[in-house]
Amino acid sequence: MRIRNTYRLPFAAALLSSLVAFAGPAFAQDSDLIVNSAVAPSTLDPAWACGLQEISFIQNFYVRLVQYGTAEGPDGTRVVDFATTEPYLAESWDISDDGLVYTFHLKDGYTFASGNPVDAEAVRYSFQRVLDMAGCGRFFLTDGHIDPVIIEAIEVIDPLTVAITLNKPNGNMLGDLATHAASIVDPSVVEANGGVVAGQPNEFMAANVTESGPFLLESYTANQSARMVANPEFAGDAPASEAINVNWITAAPTLLLQARTGQADITFGLAKQAVTTLADNSGTRAIAYTNPFVQQMMLPNTKAPWDNPVFREAVAHAVPYEDIVERVAYGYGTLYYGPIPPSLPGFNAELSQPIPFDLDRARELIAESGVATPVDVEVMIQEGDATQQQLATILQSTWADLGINLNIRVAPAAEFQDLSQSHAVQSLMRLDGPGVFEVGYYWGYDVICDNSNNLTEYCNPEVDELVDQLRASSDEAERQGIMDQVTEIWRAEYPKILFFEDQPVVVLSDAVTEFTFSPLPDYRYWAK
C-alpha cells in the first residue's frame, strides 16, 4: 500500500488555535540555524516511527520522563551518553525492590501547545496509546518484550505521580523511557483527530505534532522542509537555538554545494566521497563519530531465493567489502560479520571476522544451492540515500557475472517505510541499529522468530532460547558466553549482508558554536 504525502484530515475547530496545519514551505530567517539532511522522515508520530530520520526529527517536539546525558566528544563537540539517564519531565523516581514498579514524580508547570497540562494522565495516555497501536514505538517502549508485553499497568497516582508496573524486571527500562516512543502527546488533540485504533497508524499524527517539548513546529512540507522555533512556554531548559530551518535534500550535488558554501550550518547524509572533497574547504569541518549502525542488505529468509541458506552464503561471498569501504565509505566504515556491531558491548572481533570476497567460491555455492540462474531479484533503496544507491549499483554490476540480475527499486520515504514494515519486498537496504544500545534489545527485533520488526525474517528457535537467557542474566561472563554462542550460530546461517558499520560524518560550518552528536540527533543542543 502506498502512503500518501498529502493528507485530508478531520480537525476539531476548538483545537485549531493550538495546532499548526503544515502545508507551506519553511521560511528561514537569517538568524536560523540551517540543517540539511539527505533523507526525510516518513511519519511524525512517535508511536509509529521506526527509522533514524523520523526519530531524530520528531523527538525535538516532545518532553519525556527521562533523557540521556551528554559527554565530551571529538573536535570540541559533545556526544549523547546512552549510559547515563537524567531527569526530564520526571523530577525523581523510585524503583521497587523487586524491580517491577517504577514510580515517577513529575515536575509541575509543563504544558502542551494547546495549553493543557503535561500531567500524569497525559503520560498514562501516551504510553497506553503506544502499546495499543502496536507500531514500532511499542518495541522501543517495552525494550522489545512484547510477547507478552512487559508493561502490565500504567497507573495515575495523582496529577504529578505515575506508576508503571512490569511483569518482569527490565534493567533497560529507564533507557527505554528516554527514547522517542516515550514522548508525551496531547490526549485531547489526538482524541479529536482519530483517537487510538488498535494496531493502526493515526493519519493525523503522521503529519502533525502536539508539542510538549522545547520546540514548536512552525511549518512543515513533507519531504521538503520544516521550520521549528523555540517553545516560549516550555518549562524546561530552553534549546540552544531560537529557530532551526530543516531541509531534506535528495539531490546529492545540492547537499554538497550548500555544505561547501556555508549555506547549511549542519549537514547530515553526505556520501563519504563528497565528505572527502571538503577536507581543505575553508569555513567547514567534517567530524566522524562512532555508532552501532550498520549499512546492510536485508535478505528476507522466507522469500525465494533467500530462503535457500546456501544461496545466501553465496551472495555473502560476492560482495567486494574492502573496495566498498574504500570507494563508498572512504575509510569511514568498519568491516565485520556477525549479529553484534563492533560498537556494541559484547562484540567479539575474533568470532566476527569479515567474509572474504571470493567470486569463485560464490559460483560453487550457487551451483550447490540448486537455484537456477539467471535469477531476477529486486532490492529496494530509499530515495535520496546516496550510499544505498552506490551499494546497489556495485552489487548489480558484480552479481551480473554470477547470473543474478539485480533490479534496483527507489522508493520515497513513506513508501519505503510502509513496504519495509509490511514485509512486502524481496530485499531492501537499510542503515539500521538499535534505539537502545544493548545487545538484548537489538536482538529482540533483529533475530527473534515471528517478530514483525525482524526484516530479515530470520528464525532459529535455539537462538530465541539463548536470547531469553541473555536478557534474564546480569552476569557479565554468562552474558558474553551466550553472545558468543549466538554469534557462531548466526554466522553459519548468513541471514543478511553486512557491508560495514558506519562511521557517520557531520559537516559543520564555522558558524556553529554548539553541537552534540547522537545517532538519533537531538537538535536541542545545536547553535550558531
Side-chain angles (χ1 to χ4, degrees):
M1 182 181 71
R2 191 183 186 108
I3 295 179
R4 295 173 294 161
N5 291 325
T6 301
Y7 299 88
R8 296 183 179 177
L9 304 167
F11 278 67
L15 294 169
L16 280 177
S17 61
S18 67
L19 296 175
V20 179
F22 309 115
F27 295 101
Q29 306 296 320
D30 289 342
S31 59
D32 286 7
L33 182 75
I34 307 299
V35 177
N36 285 358
S37 181
V39 183
S42 62
T43 180
L44 301 187
D45 192 341
W48 207 254
C50 292
L52 304 181
Q53 295 76 28
E54 293 80 39
I55 295 168
S56 63
F57 184 63
I58 62 179
Q59 67 182 351
N60 298 285
F61 304 104
Y62 296 101
V63 70
R64 291 166 289 283
L65 290 177
V66 295
Q67 62 186 335
Y68 296 117
T70 64
E72 186 175 339
D75 200 13
T77 65
R78 296 186 66 78
V79 295
V80 169
D81 179 8
F82 290 96
T84 304
T85 307
E86 300 175 348
Y88 198 1
L89 175 62
E91 189 166 35
S92 63
W93 53 86
D94 306 306
I95 305 173
S96 63
D97 291 341
D98 59 8
L100 296 179
V101 181
Y102 288 68
T103 303
F104 293 90
H105 309 282
L106 311 185
K107 299 173 185 175
D108 198 5
Y110 281 73
T111 59
F112 292 102
S114 66
N116 294 324
V118 182
D119 56 12
E121 172 55 25
V123 173
R124 186 208 65 77
Y125 178 92
S126 297
F127 291 179
Q128 191 62 52
R129 173 177 183 265
V130 171
L131 298 179
D132 291 345
M133 287 177 63
C136 279
R138 183 179 68 162
F139 199 91
F140 284 89
L141 189 63
T142 63
D143 207 54
H145 295 283
I146 58 176
D147 188 21
V149 171
I150 193 172
I151 297 178
E152 191 169 271
I154 308 163
E155 181 182 3
V156 174
I157 306 301
D158 60 49
L160 294 178
T161 310
V162 62
I164 301 173
T165 301
L166 310 180
N167 54 35
K168 60 182 176 182
N170 175 23
N172 289 323
M173 190 63 198
L174 290 177
D176 301 330
L177 295 175
T179 68
H180 73 288
S183 296
I184 312 305
V185 301
D186 190 332
S188 65
V189 177
V190 176
E191 285 300 305
N193 293 277
V196 179
V197 179
Q200 296 296 320
N202 179 301
E203 193 174 10
F204 172 82
M205 290 294 288
N208 294 270
V209 295
T210 67
E211 301 99 331
S212 61
F215 285 103
L216 303 176
L217 188 51
E218 184 180 84
S219 61
Y220 171 68
T221 303
N223 299 314
Q224 295 183 35
S225 62
R227 187 170 191 261
M228 48 204 290
V229 297
N231 182 354
E233 304 301 323
F234 184 58
D237 293 337
S241 289
E242 284 293 324
I244 299 177
N245 197 69
V246 183
N247 302 298
W248 296 291
I249 300 174
T250 59
T254 303
L255 195 67
L256 174 60
L257 177 63
Q258 293 194 8
R260 183 187 301 280
T261 59
Q263 290 175 263
D265 297 304
I266 301 173
T267 303
F268 293 91
L270 279 174
K272 299 304 194 298
Q273 180 182 14
V275 169
T276 64
T277 69
L278 299 174
D280 299 320
N281 190 60
S282 176
T284 60
R285 50 185 172 142
I287 306 175
Y289 295 89
T290 61
N291 68 182
F293 286 79
V294 180
Q295 288 286 0
Q296 52 194 281
M297 180 172 172
M298 310 295 191
L299 310 176
N301 293 184
T302 65
K303 296 180 174 67
W306 314 125
D307 56 348
N308 186 314
V310 179
F311 190 79
R312 296 198 303 266
E313 182 180 359
V315 296
H317 283 279
V319 179
Y321 299 101
E322 293 183 1
D323 286 348
I324 283 172
V325 168
E326 180 181 350
R327 294 167 51 196
V328 178
Y330 282 80
Y332 295 111
T334 303
L335 292 177
Y336 78 105
Y337 194 76
I340 305 175
S343 292
L344 271 187
F347 173 75
N348 186 323
E350 184 177 350
L351 296 180
S352 305
Q353 293 294 313
I355 302 297
F357 174 47
D358 188 339
L359 287 179
D360 289 337
R361 178 60 178 152
R363 290 187 183 92
E364 293 173 0
L365 288 165
I366 290 173
E368 181 183 333
S369 74
V371 174
T373 56
V375 58
D376 292 330
V377 296
E378 181 179 83
V379 62
M380 181 176 68
I381 65 174
Q382 186 161 339
E383 183 180 56
D385 194 312
T387 299
Q388 289 182 9
Q389 182 67 62
Q390 289 175 281
L391 292 170
T393 302
I394 289 170
L395 292 191
Q396 187 179 56
S397 174
T398 305
W399 290 2
D401 292 337
L402 300 174
I404 302 173
N405 301 320
L406 184 64
N407 301 309
I408 303 171
R409 175 178 183 174
V410 181
E415 182 180 350
F416 182 91
Q417 170 78 357
D418 181 50
L419 294 174
S420 298
Q421 292 305 128
S422 61
H423 297 249
V425 292
Q426 189 178 23
S427 59
L428 68 144
M429 290 190 182
R430 189 182 182 103
L431 176 65
D432 189 65
V436 179
F437 288 4
E438 189 268 332
V439 169
Y441 174 90
Y442 185 38
W443 284 355
Y445 76 84
D446 199 60
V447 304
I448 293 294
C449 295
D450 302 321
N451 187 307
S452 62
N453 296 302
N454 178 354
L455 299 185
T456 62
E457 301 170 8
Y458 171 75
C459 181
N460 184 321
E462 181 183 2
V463 168
D464 280 13
E465 292 180 10
L466 290 167
V467 173
D468 286 343
Q469 294 173 28
L470 175 73
R471 305 193 80 178
S473 174
S474 58
D475 181 273
E476 289 304 316
E478 180 184 24
R479 286 173 56 85
Q480 189 63 58
I482 294 170
M483 288 186 283
D484 289 349
Q485 190 175 350
V486 172
T487 296
E488 292 181 308
I489 296 171
W490 188 95
R491 274 181 61 99
E493 297 181 308
Y494 298 89
K496 56 184 172 181
I497 293 172
L498 304 176
F499 297 108
F500 55 84
E501 183 188 62
D502 187 55
Q503 296 174 20
V505 180
V506 183
V507 177
L508 306 180
S509 75
D510 287 349
V512 175
T513 57
E514 298 180 48
F515 181 76
T516 297
F517 174 79
S518 168
L520 307 167
D522 190 328
Y523 298 14
R524 288 180 291 163
Y525 308 114
W526 303 347
K528 69 174 181 179

